[in-house]
Amino acid sequence: MKYINTNNVQVFTAGTHLPYWVASTEPIAYTKLSENKKTDVVIVGGGISGVTIAYCLSKSGKKVILVEDGYIGSGETGRTTAHLVSALDDRYYDLEAKFGEANAKLIAESHIAAIDFIERTVTAENIDCDFERVKGYLFLHPTDKPDSLDKEFEAAKKAGIDLEFTTIALGDNNHKALQFNNQGQFHPLKYIKTLCELIVKNGGEIYTNTHAKEIDYTGITTNEGFNVSAQSIVIATNSPVNNKYMMHLRQYAYRTYVIGSKIPKGSLPTALWWDTGNFEANSEIAPYHYIRIQKFDDEHDLLIIGGEDHPTGLADAEHILEEDRYTLLEKWGKEHFPQMEKINYKWSGQVMEPMDSLAYIGHNPLDKDNVYIVTGDSGNGMTHGTIAGILITDLINDKKNNWREVYSPARFKLFKAGKTFFKEFVGGFVSYLKTKPKHLDNTGLKDIKQKEGKIIEFDGEKLGAYRDENDDVHFVEVECTHLGCIIKWNNDEKSWDCPCHGSRFTHQGEVLNGPANKPLRHYSQHKDFLTNI
Ligand SMILES: Cc1cc2nc3c(=O)[nH]c(=O)nc-3n(C[C@H](O)[C@H](O)[C@H](O)COP(=O)(O)OP(=O)(O)OC[C@H]3O[C@@H](n4cnc5c(N)ncnc54)[C@H](O)[C@@H]3O)c2cc1C
Ligand code: FES
């Protein structure tokens, strides 16, 4: 979907709110694919995963073609907060219980290696992307058990993470915290912009505004009918658009919210902070707060605070609508970071939570051996996407890699999924079914406000209707093009969101997030039509 950024430039991003990263950079645009092509590897998706994979493969001597249907970084990579961490969203004591001690070590090793990879690349290629090594502080949420930090210290240490106990002051309170050393942060779009230039320098090709409509083991076909045939196919679309069922039963989509506030320069150290999550929230995955500092201008830094997550399309299960989540973040922010004054940026994005907390990187299950996916970022997609660059390159080049098994998308040990997945997945689905009959918003077409969407019955047909700022009305079909669940209106990002597996669509039916890969049927009516009904 096209928007205009603060420099009056057209950008693509998956929502109406412009993230700081998108607002502060020029779009990373290439030409549209306009002929048939043949290559070693075709990569679909121009976020950190697709770009890193293309970079690593091109560096290893493979001829690559990357296609992206918006601009580079117009998916979740442009909507992130870009903490680079080995202090994962999921606790090491939990990963150890699910995967065992040896695998917990491999997981820690892979994230440490991903941050090292980014640092090495930034240094070697002289990339101007605000990369910094920083410390990260994990402190207890009041609803969490007091021994949770002790358990995490033991498990993380065993896994090979460099950490220690400390005390931090936030607002009026001191908090016992775990200090994770050697974490990192950067500006994600500045980083992948240079990786793209290096891909092209290595002989690769990049096409933006190019949608992969059909995908199979021979290659891809675009909306315009152009074909890229390849020996290997990599789908890096965040939620895999080539895998209709299997992967979407193993992960769950969450919306997450961010505010950015200018604060006096140097008034806070450049660091990362996280609380351990609200265990009283109506969600099996305790939503937590994540905070960082970004250089802004000569007088200010930007304090970036995220959190208030909920399963996509189900914000109302907690009776807190999408657009009200920023107020909660602001309240929490002011209590913990009194340096904060007003909100200068706000945006939301989507993370994919895998059933056992770890990303899926490798062969696409039940597909030919030459088709690969990366998905299930688990809120750590900057490092998971980088791990994908290293791992998928090794898989394609037939090189041994110790991370292969632990990240395999085919892994499936039901008992290891834990109650979290079942409660969230089954609970989410039950909640979806409960709200389904109410989906008809019981509103007449004329009662829909400007910039609002409702599901209405019109001429005997259930339709999604959106009234734009000129009073023109845009209708979409209400069945998601992935597997037919009924979409719900997200009044915050002005999108139609699917509660089943996280597909999202614009008011004109264009896909914002997969797994849907086909738009909703759409038609628009001039505002005069409202006076005639
Ligand atoms: C608010 C927020 C905060 C986060 N904070 C952090 C953090 O601090 N640290 C961290 O590690 N992770 C974080 N994450 C997660 C991280 O941002 C994501 O996991 C990561 O950006 C995903 O990258 P990706 O390349 O896999 O997907 P994306 O960046 O979404 O890229 C996929 C691309 O595929 C394209 N595409 C889709 N379908 C097609 C098609 N058919 N044809 C062509 N192109 C297609 C899309 O346009 C998109 O650009 C955060 C996420 C959010 C939303
Ligand atoms: S995302 Fe699967 S049915 Fe909508």
Side-chain angles (χ1 to χ4, degrees):
M1 181 71 178
K2 293 172 204 158
Y3 301 98
I4 302 299
N5 79 1
T6 39
N7 300 328
N8 223 6
V9 175
Q10 178 188 289
V11 294
F12 287 94
T13 184
T16 43
H17 297 304
L18 289 193
Y20 166 71
W21 322 112
V22 176
S24 62
T25 49
E26 294 295 312
I28 311 169
Y30 287 81
T31 54
K32 191 175 175 128
L33 184 72
S34 57
E35 57 181 322
N36 293 336
K37 293 268 177 183
K38 206 169 170 185
T39 186
D40 293 339
V41 188
V42 62
I43 296 127
V44 182
I48 189 157
S49 305
V51 170
T52 311
I53 294 164
Y55 169 69
C56 291
L57 281 166
S58 68
K59 223 177 145 201
S60 80
K62 291 283 183 205
K63 170 96 181 90
V64 300
I65 292 183
L66 184 150
V67 297
E68 158 59 51
D69 69 5
Y71 293 146
I72 298 296
S74 60
E76 300 314 309
T77 299
R79 307 187 74 80
T80 187
T81 51
H83 299 210
L84 301 173
V85 294
S86 58
L88 302 182
D89 278 20
D90 297 281
R91 301 284 89 86
Y92 277 98
Y93 60 76
D94 197 30
L95 293 169
E96 187 188 306
K98 286 176 182 157
F99 294 94
E101 258 183 61
N103 282 329
K105 276 195 184 130
L106 283 179
I107 294 165
E109 174 193 289
S110 63
H111 287 271
I112 293 169
I115 308 173
D116 288 349
F117 173 96
I118 293 170
E119 183 176 44
R120 262 199 327 274
T121 309
V122 166
T123 311
E125 306 291 357
N126 204 10
I127 304 178
D128 176 14
C129 64
D130 309 329
F131 174 87
E132 278 183 77
R133 284 283 183 178
V134 290
K135 294 187 170 71
Y137 301 101
L138 178 71
F139 60 99
L140 205 67
H141 189 279
T143 60
D144 195 3
K145 295 194 184 85
D147 69 347
S148 139
L149 289 184
D150 303 316
K151 272 175 28 188
E152 183 60 358
F153 177 80
E154 290 306 324
K157 194 102 201 152
K158 226 188 299 168
I161 299 291
D162 175 7
L163 82 170
E164 57 204 86
F165 275 107
T166 189
T167 303
I168 53 170
L170 293 177
D172 293 334
N173 295 314
N174 285 335
H175 297 261
K176 178 179 165 186
L178 288 179
Q179 173 181 308
F180 289 80
N181 299 316
N182 284 318
Q183 308 299 292
Q185 63 172 40
F186 65 175
H187 187 310
L189 296 187
K190 289 185 184 173
Y191 173 70
I192 60 172
K193 178 176 192 285
T194 309
L195 289 196
C196 286
E197 289 160 9
L198 294 166
I199 294 166
V200 173
K201 207 165 138 196
N202 292 339
E205 295 171 42
I206 300 177
Y207 298 95
T208 51
N209 211 349
T210 301
H211 178 76
K213 186 179 175 191
E214 309 288 343
I215 300 167
D216 67 18
Y217 70 95
T218 63
I220 63 122
T221 307
T222 67
N223 273 353
E224 294 74 24
F226 298 112
N227 180 262
V228 182
S229 59
Q231 284 160 19
S232 302
I233 291 85
V234 182
I235 306 306
T237 51
N238 196 27
S239 182
V241 295
N242 60 328
N243 183 306
K244 196 144 190 179
Y245 305 103
M246 193 174 184
M247 295 317 296
H248 308 293
L249 295 172
R250 297 177 178 198
Q251 58 184 359
Y252 208 84
Y254 278 72
R255 299 299 301 162
T256 181
Y257 297 81
V258 181
I259 52 175
S261 173
K262 285 196 275 181
I263 57 169
K265 202 168 196 62
S267 57
L268 279 168
T270 306
L272 311 174
W273 295 265
W274 321 278
D275 66 26
T276 55
N278 182 0
F279 286 80
E280 286 171 0
N282 186 16
S283 168
E284 272 308 306
I285 297 177
Y288 70 100
H289 295 100
Y290 46 100
I291 304 98
R292 66 168 280 188
I293 305 293
Q294 165 67 21
K295 285 196 186 91
F296 189 77
D297 60 22
D298 289 346
E299 279 110 52
H300 300 101
D301 292 326
L302 194 65
L303 171 66
I304 300 176
I305 303 180
E308 301 301 336
D309 306 12
H310 62 82
T312 299
L314 295 172
D316 49 1
E318 290 180 314
H319 309 289
I320 310 168
L321 293 177
E322 285 90 346
E323 63 264 41
D324 297 331
R325 306 253 162 180
Y326 303 104
T327 315
L328 297 179
L329 271 186
E330 185 178 3
K331 181 170 176 296
W332 185 92
K334 285 187 169 157
E335 280 163 18
H336 292 80
F337 296 91
Q339 297 81 351
M340 179 181 158
E341 288 175 9
K342 63 176 188 140
I343 297 182
N344 304 97
Y345 295 89
K346 66 174 182 178
W347 69 90
S348 72
Q350 192 143 298
V351 294
M352 302 306 296
E353 288 294 346
M355 61 192 285
D356 58 9
S357 317
L358 199 63
Y360 300 106
I361 305 167
H363 289 114
N364 186 32
L366 304 180
D367 205 336
K368 300 273 188 198
D369 282 353
N370 65 334
V371 184
Y372 302 83
I373 54 170
V374 42
T375 187
D377 58 74
S378 189
N380 295 122
M382 297 288 110
T383 39
H384 272 140
T386 306
I387 292 166
I390 301 166
L391 177 53
I392 289 185
T393 300
D394 284 349
L395 295 178
I396 289 177
N397 287 325
D398 225 357
K399 258 177 81 181
K400 184 174 174 324
N401 188 307
N402 291 338
W403 309 332
R404 178 190 183 124
E405 293 303 324
V406 76
Y407 285 108
S408 167
R411 71 177 188 265
F412 188 54
K413 297 220 167 103
L414 216 46
F415 67 93
K416 286 190 177 166
K419 69 178 173 64
T420 302
F421 175 76
F422 286 102
K423 278 210 184 163
E424 201 67 88
F425 181 72
V426 178
F429 197 65
V430 169
S431 174
Y432 164 73
L433 290 177
K434 274 196 205 148
T435 55
K436 198 172 176 212
K438 290 189 212 143
H439 265 144
L440 204 56
D441 284 319
N442 234 348
T443 309
L445 202 46
K446 287 183 177 174
D447 300 326
I448 300 176
K449 298 191 192 98
Q450 280 192 345
K451 295 191 179 180
E452 190 181 64
K454 295 271 184 198
I455 293 192
I456 53 139
E457 203 159 76
F458 188 68
D459 271 354
E461 203 186 340
K462 210 192 257 184
L463 293 169
Y466 172 77
R467 184 171 182 163
D468 71 17
E469 58 277 23
N470 303 316
D471 287 328
D472 296 340
V473 182
H474 304 270
F475 294 102
V476 292
E477 63 180 316
V478 293
E479 272 119 28
C480 171
T481 57
H482 176 226
L483 292 174
C485 287
I486 306 293
I487 51 173
K488 287 181 95 175
W489 179 246
N490 171 346
N491 202 40
D492 175 44
E493 294 287 7
K494 310 291 175 200
S495 58
W496 293 106
D497 295 0
C498 180
C500 282
H501 315 104
S503 294
R504 296 178 57 244
F505 305 86
T506 67
H507 67 267
Q508 293 179 314
E510 300 155 281
V511 178
L512 289 171
N513 288 87
N517 201 29
K518 209 174 110 195
L520 297 169
R521 274 182 300 128
H522 155 258
Y523 67 94
S524 297
Q525 284 282 3
H526 187 265
K527 63 180 174 190
D528 292 350
F529 145 91
L530 282 176
T531 51
N532 299 329
I533 51 170

